Amino acid sequence: MAQATKKSRRWHIAVFLAPAVLIYTAIMIIPLFSTLQLAMYSDVENSQVFVGLQNFRALFGDPQWSDQFWNALKNNTWFFIVHMIVQNPIGILLAALLSSPRLRMRSFYRTAIFIPTILSFVIAGFAWKLILSPLWGVAPNLLDFVGLKSLFQPWLGKEAYALTTLALISVWQFVGIPMMLIYAALLSIPDELLEAAECDGITGMSQFWKVKLPLILPAIGIISILTFVGNFNAFDLIYATQGALAGPDFSTDILGTFMFRTFFGFQLQLGDPNLGAAIATAMFAIILIGVSIYLFGIQTRLRRYQF
Amino acid sequence: MSTARHSPVRSIAAHAVLAAYTIIALFPVFVIVINAFKSRKAIFRTPLELPNAETFSLIGFETVLKQGDFLLYFQNSFVVTVVSLFMVLLFGAMAAFALAEYRFKGNSLMGLYLALGIMIPIRLGTVAILQMMAASGLVNTLTSLILVYTAQGLPLAIFILSEFMRQVSDDLKNAGRIDGLSEYRIFFRLVLPLVRPAMATVAVFTMIPIWNDLWFPLILAPAEATKTITLGAQVFIGQFVTNWNAVLAALSLAILPVLILYLIFSRQLIRGITSGAVK
């Protein structure tokens, strides 16, 4: 009897799991591995030939590709650094303010600041492109209003500023995410703990630094890894504002746009799926390394602070 | 109550910072929307003023609705989002139930396998996905997008939902079993209604990236008949950079649906984020 129910239960398990596992495996896991495999092949006279690591050698060493690759990697790293030093501190500051007791209009601020996050990259990118455009002049007018018109530059059009400007646009769009996660973490701090701190005379700013910050470190860790994965996987914003060539002169090229261009080809450049797969593999490795560092290095250390 | 925590100076400072940031957050949206309703001259002459009787014009919206197939794109986005969402929720909940409810060999391994996808972006498999879709004749169909988004949404959905399914009382399920309900009925009749709030949260999280995605529509379904609104807006804006009325109107039209969706679901979304992080 027990045996029979156990057996019939097994079928349910399979039926419940099957659709999700099948779709997930077929559309996500298998393509991921065939992409890694594809990176080891090359197209020779319309047939796929196994070339081992030659695509990677070209990617890292052949000037035709490696210049673009290292440039994209460098830009991507800067893109990530800007997010880490601008987006996350602003997110934490906003969350700390939102969680201050007896704040009025809390939900209005929360909702409003989160709105950019739900907009698509296309909208966010173009909106800023229009605002910063020297042609339309909303930005110069605004700067003129505060007497700083001399500071205006076509920020998206100059090599030196374009990438940072785009990173800041992306920060503007996504600051809602760290804000929300930190806000949630701050709310979860037990009141008794804060009251105990107050009894000890730890209030205001020092309470934030000494009591709250250590407690929200795990949330900051999660935000950092989400930022990392999101940034090294970014594409849409750059493509929508600067196009597949990531202008001016590739100064805003990141791994996502580089992979798109290599895979599909663009204008005079022919598409090369195998090399595109090699770039995807490199991105995969970078993301995997980041996630591993987080899981084994940072998260285990952060756990000590948890209750 | 200590004075340091509630001093008026502090609260004014907090409001000042939050209000300033709110203006930064909303300013671009505001500028786009007000100028979409202005005549071309007014867009350039007074970009920061609200449209008045003199400057009000709907010429941009007329151009967009005449030239771009915005309604079709909108419909495509809608179909893709709703169907993917339905599949993510149904299949995700089923798998989450299996993982949370039954003990079987490889349970935690299966959970780990399905959770992998949370950290690894599906975009990295694009090369092979495109080849697969091409081989099965699914390129330029909404089906290809639906399949990809379903696969993309499942890991997080399963992860979040199985947490919630573990909290459903065992007594209730066992009572159902004693009454002779099949496992399927227990899932659909007893468990599913109980985790509805969690389903709503997962729905919002899944919906936003699907609606906003540019990469997969660009690669898998760029044909005129299957363009989504994000891709359509991108292409349209790219073509009409000089027609400012049309561009601003197109941007406003593209902002509108997500904005409405957000205002409807924002409480659910915020509750989901806060309850998700609060252990």
Side-chain angles (χ1 to χ4, degrees), chain A residues 126-155:
Chain A
F126 266 99
W128 277 103
K129 204 175 163 178
L130 292 182
I131 288 170
L132 295 178
S133 148
L135 214 64
W136 191 15
V138 173
N141 279 352
L142 275 180
L143 283 175
D144 198 21
F145 192 66
V146 290
L148 293 170
K149 196 174 185 181
S150 56
L151 283 180
F152 181 78
Q153 298 272 352
W155 282 298

Side-chain angles (χ1 to χ4, degrees), chain B residues 183-204:
Chain B
E183 295 298 316
Y184 302 112
R185 289 226 163 159
I186 288 174
F187 171 68
F188 282 107
R189 292 277 164 78
L190 292 181
V191 177
L192 219 46
L194 284 174
V195 295
R196 214 184 285 151
M199 299 277 274
T201 303
V202 173
V204 180

Side-chain angles (χ1 to χ4, degrees), chain A:
Chain A
M1 182 65 199
Q3 198 66 32
T5 48
K6 236 186 180 176
K7 261 194 181 154
S8 62
R9 267 193 188 187
R10 285 230 166 95
W11 277 110
H12 297 120
I13 300 172
V15 172
F16 279 128
L17 276 173
V21 174
L22 285 178
I23 293 180
Y24 172 73
T25 308
I27 314 288
M28 190 150 182
I29 299 298
I30 293 178
L32 210 56
F33 281 99
S34 15
T35 302
L36 305 191
Q37 194 193 354
L38 220 72
M40 306 277 207
Y41 285 79
S42 194
D43 193 72
V44 179
E45 286 159 10
N46 287 327
S47 65
Q48 291 276 310
V49 181
F50 183 80
V51 293
L53 297 177
Q54 202 179 302
N55 286 325
F56 293 99
R57 216 168 288 148
L59 196 59
F60 302 142
D62 179 355
Q64 194 198 340
W65 298 106
S66 66
D67 289 355
Q68 290 192 61
F69 175 77
W70 295 116
N71 176 45
L73 186 60
K74 193 191 81 202
N75 290 341
N76 223 153
T77 310
W78 177 241
F79 198 69
F80 171 62
I81 292 172
V82 172
H83 280 81
M84 286 302 281
I85 58 179
V86 182
Q87 172 186 285
N88 297 346
I90 292 182
I92 295 168
L93 171 75
L94 292 173
L97 291 174
L98 275 181
S99 72
S100 55
R102 294 194 185 170
L103 181 80
R104 288 199 194 139
M105 292 167 46
R106 190 193 308 263
S107 64
F108 165 75
Y109 290 131
R110 220 171 37 189
T111 308
I113 295 173
F114 204 74
I115 279 181
T117 308
I118 58 153
L119 299 180
S120 84
F121 295 95
V122 174
I123 299 169
F126 266 99
W128 277 103
K129 204 175 163 178
L130 292 182
I131 288 170
L132 295 178
S133 148
L135 214 64
W136 191 15
V138 173
N141 279 352
L142 275 180
L143 283 175
D144 198 21
F145 192 66
V146 290
L148 293 170
K149 196 174 185 181
S150 56
L151 283 180
F152 181 78
Q153 298 272 352
W155 282 298
L156 279 171
K158 288 216 169 170
E159 280 174 47
Y161 310 121
L163 183 66
T164 311
T165 310
L166 281 168
L168 290 175
I169 293 173
S170 170
V171 166
W172 167 81
Q173 192 177 2
F174 288 114
V175 82
I177 290 174
M179 179 187 81
M180 284 296 189
L181 292 174
I182 298 286
Y183 176 66
L186 285 171
L187 286 189
S188 74
I189 298 177
D191 282 337
E192 302 89 70
L193 213 69
L194 300 179
E195 278 161 22
E198 266 169 39
C199 287
D200 288 345
I202 306 173
T203 52
M205 283 294 261
S206 71
Q207 187 184 58
F208 177 80
W209 291 109
K210 287 183 185 160
V211 182
K212 291 180 178 169
L213 192 66
L215 289 170
I216 58 169
L217 275 183
I220 295 176
I222 293 172
I223 288 160
S224 308
I225 192 66
L226 287 178
T227 312
F228 179 82
V229 175
N231 284 172
F232 276 88
N233 183 36
F235 161 79
D236 308 57
L237 179 67
I238 313 263
Y239 180 81
T241 49
Q242 310 289 60
L245 287 176
D249 193 25
F250 297 112
S251 61
T252 57
D253 200 19
I254 57 171
L255 291 169
T257 44
F258 178 44
M259 170 174 144
F260 177 84
R261 225 174 34 243
T262 310
F263 179 28
F264 286 100
F266 200 75
Q267 290 174 357
L268 296 177
Q269 180 183 334
L270 275 175
D272 185 340
N274 295 108
L275 212 61
I279 298 168
T281 307
M283 290 165 75
F284 181 76
I286 292 168
I287 288 173
L288 212 60
I289 292 168
V291 171
S292 312
I293 291 175
Y294 165 72
L295 285 180
F296 298 113
I298 298 171
Q299 203 195 23
T300 46
R301 200 166 301 163
L302 286 177
R303 275 219 186 102
R304 283 188 213 144
Y305 293 106
Q306 278 179 317
F307 285 86

Side-chain angles (χ1 to χ4, degrees), chain B residues 60-142:
Chain B
F61 290 96
E62 281 166 28
T63 320
V64 172
L65 294 176
K66 241 182 265 160
Q67 303 218 11
D69 268 324
F70 258 70
L71 287 178
L72 176 69
Y73 301 157
F74 186 83
Q75 186 192 320
N76 287 337
S77 272
F78 189 76
V79 169
V80 167
T81 310
V82 168
V83 179
S84 317
L85 198 58
F86 176 76
M87 284 168 65
V88 168
L89 288 178
L90 178 65
F91 298 158
M94 282 164 65
F97 181 67
L99 290 173
E101 178 67 15
Y102 308 115
R103 283 166 190 276
F104 57 93
K105 239 188 215 170
N107 179 313
S108 51
L109 205 67
M110 182 61 90
L112 199 67
Y113 173 71
L114 289 167
L116 273 182
I118 298 176
M119 282 295 181
I120 299 162
I122 193 169
R123 197 175 275 181
L124 297 178
T126 303
V127 180
I129 291 176
L130 179 62
Q131 289 185 341
M132 191 171 77
M133 294 297 176
S136 49
L138 287 175
V139 171
N140 281 328
T141 61
L142 296 180

Side-chain angles (χ1 to χ4, degrees), chain B:
Chain B
M1 281 287 133
S2 74
T3 44
R5 256 175 98 177
H6 307 302
S7 77
V9 181
R10 260 172 197 286
S11 102
I12 288 169
H15 276 287
V17 175
L18 287 168
Y21 199 87
T22 303
I23 291 170
I24 296 175
L26 295 183
F27 175 72
V29 178
F30 175 74
V31 171
I32 297 300
V33 174
I34 58 166
N35 283 291
F37 292 95
K38 284 190 208 163
S39 66
R40 190 179 160 78
K41 249 187 213 160
I43 292 175
F44 278 94
R45 210 171 281 164
T46 51
L48 294 173
E49 273 171 28
L50 286 170
N52 53 34
E54 205 181 313
T55 55
F56 182 82
S57 159
L58 287 174
I59 180 83
F61 290 96
E62 281 166 28
T63 320
V64 172
L65 294 176
K66 241 182 265 160
Q67 303 218 11
D69 268 324
F70 258 70
L71 287 178
L72 176 69
Y73 301 157
F74 186 83
Q75 186 192 320
N76 287 337
S77 272
F78 189 76
V79 169
V80 167
T81 310
V82 168
V83 179
S84 317
L85 198 58
F86 176 76
M87 284 168 65
V88 168
L89 288 178
L90 178 65
F91 298 158
M94 282 164 65
F97 181 67
L99 290 173
E101 178 67 15
Y102 308 115
R103 283 166 190 276
F104 57 93
K105 239 188 215 170
N107 179 313
S108 51
L109 205 67
M110 182 61 90
L112 199 67
Y113 173 71
L114 289 167
L116 273 182
I118 298 176
M119 282 295 181
I120 299 162
I122 193 169
R123 197 175 275 181
L124 297 178
T126 303
V127 180
I129 291 176
L130 179 62
Q131 289 185 341
M132 191 171 77
M133 294 297 176
S136 49
L138 287 175
V139 171
N140 281 328
T141 61
L142 296 180
T143 315
S144 63
L145 291 178
I146 290 168
L147 284 171
V148 168
Y149 293 142
T150 306
Q152 172 186 282
L154 278 170
L156 192 66
I158 294 172
F159 186 75
I160 296 177
L161 289 176
S162 59
E163 290 293 312
F164 279 90
M165 300 243 182
R166 285 200 185 95
Q167 292 165 12
V168 176
S169 109
D170 280 334
D171 293 345
L172 190 74
K173 286 175 281 193
N174 288 333
R177 286 191 182 107
I178 291 166
D179 285 348
L181 291 183
S182 72
E183 295 298 316
Y184 302 112
R185 289 226 163 159
I186 288 174
F187 171 68
F188 282 107
R189 292 277 164 78
L190 292 181
V191 177
L192 219 46
L194 284 174
V195 295
R196 214 184 285 151
M199 299 277 274
T201 303
V202 173
V204 180
F205 274 119
T206 314
M207 193 160 55
I208 294 171
I210 297 179
W211 182 275
N212 285 340
D213 190 36
L214 177 61
W215 177 269
F216 283 111
L218 186 67
I219 286 162
L220 293 177
E224 195 55 32
T226 52
K227 261 186 200 132
T228 59
I229 190 140
T230 311
L231 182 59
Q234 208 268 331
V235 173
F236 181 84
I237 293 165
Q239 280 169 355
F240 287 82
V241 261
T242 47
N243 188 341
W244 288 63
N245 289 99
V247 168
L248 292 167
L251 282 172
S252 302
L253 283 177
I255 291 172
L256 208 62
V258 253
L259 207 60
I260 292 170
L261 226 58
Y262 176 63
L263 293 177
I264 294 172
F265 283 104
S266 74
R267 273 183 67 204
Q268 190 57 48
L269 178 81
I270 286 158
R271 201 183 306 149
I273 296 171
T274 40
S275 75
V278 178
K279 287 163 289 274

